[in-house]
Amino acid sequence: QLVESGGGLVQPGGSLRLSCTAPGFILDYYQIAWFRQAPGKEREGVSCISAMEGSRYYADSLKGRFIVSRDNAKNTIYLQMNSLKPEDTAVYYCATDLNRSNCHGVGTVSWYDHWGQGTQVTVSS
């Protein structure tokens, strides 16, 4: 099971770093994607990082502000979010497909079969 953490309340222009880990499960061999879902909206893809610090993909609208990385020694994937805007407010989820090591773009919800419970990010003054 995936577990997200690091969400919270931040002012516009601020930064947050989200973490995704899987207690008792090694993430090294799998791609990890980040999605987000704002109230009343569909879940949308944010980023994907392939296994073993491989290729990275981002939603076009987020390039340059969000950075995905992984620390396999800590079994953790990070999403660094900078220059946050109120429209970034959402529940953020990490997800993976246990049949794939690599990303092929960010993908859609249907590409992934294991999800975390989500962590709330609120950007507000």
Side-chain angles (χ1 to χ4, degrees):
Q1 181 176 346
L2 301 176
V3 179
E4 304 93 339
S5 62
L9 174 64
V10 62
Q11 293 188 343
S15 298
L16 277 178
R17 188 178 76 164
L18 305 183
S19 299
C20 174
T21 190
F25 184 77
I26 298 174
L27 296 177
D28 297 17
Y29 307 113
Y30 306 103
Q31 91 300 143
I32 300 294
W34 285 96
F35 281 74
R36 68 183 184 181
Q37 188 166 19
K41 295 188 176 181
E42 293 187 352
R43 196 168 296 189
E44 63 174 351
V46 172
S47 182
C48 188
I49 184 168
S50 294
M52 305 305 287
E53 197 60 46
S55 54
R56 310 176 195 194
Y57 298 86
Y58 298 93
D60 287 343
S61 62
L62 300 175
K63 287 180 181 178
R65 293 197 299 124
F66 287 18
I67 302 171
V68 65
S69 63
R70 64 194 306 157
D71 185 338
N72 288 337
K74 295 183 178 180
N75 202 38
T76 302
I77 289 78
Y78 301 102
L79 183 68
Q80 178 68 41
M81 306 186 296
N82 301 318
S83 302
L84 284 163
K85 306 174 182 179
E87 51 264 42
D88 294 318
T89 295
V91 178
Y92 284 72
Y93 301 88
C94 60
T96 190
D97 175 0
L98 296 182
N99 295 311
R100 291 190 291 120
S101 296
N102 295 320
C103 305
H104 300 283
V106 177
T108 64
V109 170
S110 62
W111 287 22
Y112 303 96
D113 52 12
H114 285 74
W115 293 80
Q117 82 290 346
T119 185
Q120 176 70 48
V121 172
T122 302
V123 184
S124 175
S125 55

